[in-house]
Amino acid sequence: MGIYEELIARGLIAQVTDEDEIRELVNNGKATFYIGFDPTADSLHVGHFMALCLMKRLQDAGNKPIALIGGGTAMIGDPSGRTDMRQMMTKETIQHNCDCFKEQMSRFIDFSDGKALMVNNADWLLDLNYIEVLREVGAHFSVNRMLAAECYKQRMERGLSFLEFNYMIMQSYDFYMLYQKYGCNMQFGGDDQWSNMLGGTELIRRKLGKNACAMTITLLLNSEGKKMGKTQSGAVWLDPKKTSPFEFYQYWRNVADADVLKCIRMLTFLPLEEIDKMDSWEGAQLNTAKEILAFELTKLVHGEEEAQKAQEAAKALFSTGAAADMPQTELTEEDLTDGNIDILTMLVKAGLTASKSEARRAVQQGGVTVDGEKIADVYKTFAGEDLSGEGIVLKKGKKNFRKITVK
């Protein structure tokens, strides 16, 4: 089985152009491909995870990845999947985020000896001449076709700014520049990027001739992956300072039964033969599958030692209600009122709820426990001295835990 066939078997490929040519390039290690990452935060999250895994798979098969950091396109903002315009960022913030991305990507992709490239589209986008872009690039785009694209249609009712309208042109120009500068002959992206990606392929062929080698492929999970990046308590980051290895492990340990085998197939590097044997698993076996998924992905992101510690901590938590490595919230005397703190305030301080009203609903619905005991009283208070030393384990729902202590 070639790597292209493996990607299909893992459920990663949704749409392609020029499938025969793509298969030939990928299976023979002749693809120079890029995936773009807009630096909208100072850490990658699990929504980017599949793209990084894909880049690693293809590089291991001899192909050359280009990680394109969108330092230029981030100045505009991608309207795909949005109902409002993205917040504008300063150049300094964008550059800081780019630096953080580079450090994190290096854990997945081997950039040594030219085996992979990391480039920033700010290098060519920020110095473009407006009239030149209109003449050399804009002439190749039909406004009617652009407005029919899904990424724009969903914004038309709420209002699409001219700023965002240019995003497809900028992304297409990226592929054109990467093709010329680095011989990039293929682009990968999520299924929500299909229109933008086709624009790049068509621009190259219009500018350089129909025989120009420019190909497009989309990934099945990317739009789902973006949803994966967020939970009820916020984003799940790859940076251990923002999401601890334990929290990362717990996120994957608690995926839905219907998703666990799909995630194992798409995201882990376990052999397909081994995964196929899990297809018949059900009931308690699915919990074993979740543990395998959580361990494999935590190992990939944080290393085997941290994955082992997270797994042991998770087992300790479920067996005894306590774990040394679970995420902690350390309160101070300033968080207490007359030496006490009520359950609603504690839930908010711990980051388990966004507001006291949400905390109240969680308690009333029976979803809050302290040291394994359900809290039914929304006015329940705890003395600061009870939170000193080992503290308490505060739990909301099945997935969210915090050890609470007072400094």
Side-chain angles (χ1 to χ4, degrees):
M1 180 185 294
I3 183 62
Y4 183 78
E5 288 73 24
E6 180 178 344
L7 297 180
I8 293 175
R10 289 184 180 273
L12 291 169
I13 296 180
Q15 301 180 81
V16 300
T17 64
D18 312 281
E19 183 171 32
D20 292 340
E21 291 86 348
I22 289 173
R23 180 186 289 106
E24 174 73 16
L25 287 172
V26 167
N27 283 346
N28 289 284
K30 296 180 180 179
T32 298
F33 68 96
Y34 94 90
I35 298 179
F37 301 82
D38 271 357
T40 53
D42 59 0
S43 172
L44 297 164
H45 57 66
V46 299
H48 300 112
F49 191 55
M50 191 194 63
L52 294 172
C53 291
L54 177 79
M55 296 175 84
K56 178 176 173 57
R57 292 184 203 280
L58 289 169
Q59 185 180 51
D60 289 347
N63 298 285
K64 184 175 182 177
I66 299 176
L68 178 66
I69 305 298
T73 40
M75 298 290 287
I76 296 176
D78 183 1
S80 301
R82 301 284 298 189
T83 57
D84 57 359
M85 195 169 85
R86 294 181 185 272
Q87 183 178 357
M88 301 291 282
M89 296 185 295
T90 66
K91 290 183 179 180
E92 292 75 19
T93 298
I94 292 172
Q95 185 57 53
H96 171 70
N97 294 348
C98 289
D99 294 339
C100 293
F101 276 25
K102 183 175 183 179
E103 180 181 353
Q104 292 178 357
M105 287 180 180
S106 297
R107 302 174 195 165
F108 295 83
I109 305 165
D110 182 3
F111 289 98
S112 66
D113 303 322
K115 296 174 185 175
L117 298 175
M118 179 173 289
V119 297
N120 190 330
N121 64 14
D123 294 343
W124 54 80
L125 290 182
L126 296 188
D127 294 329
L128 284 176
N129 177 281
Y130 185 62
I131 299 299
E132 181 180 343
V133 171
L134 289 178
R135 287 175 57 88
E136 300 299 321
V137 182
H140 298 288
F141 286 82
S142 162
V143 171
N144 290 344
R145 291 185 63 185
M146 292 174 69
L147 290 176
E150 192 63 34
C151 61
Y152 290 140
K153 285 197 302 184
Q154 59 190 349
R155 286 296 310 281
M156 293 299 291
E157 293 184 5
R158 297 286 296 272
L160 176 71
S161 72
F162 182 72
L163 178 75
E164 296 171 290
F165 185 66
N166 281 269
Y167 190 90
M168 180 186 292
I169 296 177
M170 296 297 97
Q171 183 171 331
S172 300
Y173 189 74
D174 283 343
F175 193 19
Y176 174 67
M177 291 298 295
L178 292 170
Y179 178 87
Q180 293 197 100
K181 291 169 68 72
Y182 305 107
C184 180
N185 53 24
M186 200 176 300
Q187 58 179 332
F188 286 72
D191 52 3
D192 58 343
Q193 295 291 313
W194 183 243
S195 298
N196 293 347
M197 294 165 65
L198 286 179
T201 296
E202 293 178 5
L203 177 62
I204 292 174
R205 290 174 175 173
R206 286 175 179 268
K207 294 280 291 181
L208 303 176
K210 292 184 178 180
N211 293 326
C213 182
M215 302 173 187
T216 301
I217 190 167
T218 71
L219 311 179
L220 179 64
L221 189 64
N222 199 294
S223 58
E224 281 188 50
K226 290 182 178 180
K227 297 175 186 176
M228 279 186 181
K230 294 191 178 290
T231 68
Q232 293 179 352
S233 299
V236 178
W237 305 100
L238 304 192
D239 184 345
K241 296 178 182 177
K242 298 169 76 73
T243 297
S244 72
F246 177 84
E247 291 173 300
F248 189 84
Y249 179 97
Q250 283 295 95
Y251 173 78
W252 295 108
R253 173 62 180 79
N254 289 295
V255 299
D257 288 355
D259 294 333
V260 59
L261 292 179
K262 178 172 66 175
C263 289
I264 289 177
R265 195 176 299 277
M266 289 181 167
L267 301 176
T268 76
F269 286 78
L270 295 175
L272 282 170
E273 296 80 4
E274 183 177 339
I275 300 172
D276 289 341
K277 295 177 182 177
M278 302 179 190
D279 284 339
S280 61
W281 286 12
E282 56 185 22
Q285 289 178 306
L286 290 178
N287 288 328
T288 301
K290 292 178 184 181
E291 292 176 356
I292 292 171
L293 172 68
F295 181 84
E296 291 295 325
L297 298 191
T298 306
K299 180 175 69 173
L300 188 61
V301 175
H302 298 295
E304 186 164 3
E305 181 178 353
E306 290 296 335
Q308 192 67 46
K309 288 168 59 178
Q311 187 174 66
E312 292 173 357
K315 290 180 178 179
L317 178 64
F318 282 103
S319 63
T320 66
D325 292 329
M326 79 167 63
Q328 298 188 29
T329 296
E330 189 175 71
L331 303 176
T332 67
E333 292 294 333
E334 296 178 354
D335 296 314
L336 306 180
T337 301
D338 296 329
N340 299 295
I341 185 169
D342 63 87
I343 185 65
L344 303 186
T345 300
M346 191 158 59
L347 283 164
V348 174
K349 293 284 185 181
L352 296 178
T353 62
S355 64
K356 284 192 176 181
S357 59
E358 181 184 340
R360 179 185 296 272
R361 288 193 298 272
V363 172
Q364 291 173 336
Q365 293 168 3
V368 176
T369 64
V370 171
D371 286 341
E373 295 185 8
K374 184 178 294 185
I375 303 298
D377 182 3
V378 296
Y379 299 106
K380 174 72 174 178
T381 62
F382 298 84
E385 60 189 34
D386 294 333
L387 306 180
S388 60
E390 291 297 320
I392 62 172
V393 176
L394 178 63
K395 176 182 175 183
K396 172 183 166 287
K398 295 180 179 180
K399 302 180 180 181
N400 300 302
F401 304 84
R402 288 291 188 280
K403 176 174 283 189
I404 310 297
T405 59
V406 172
K407 186 175 181 180

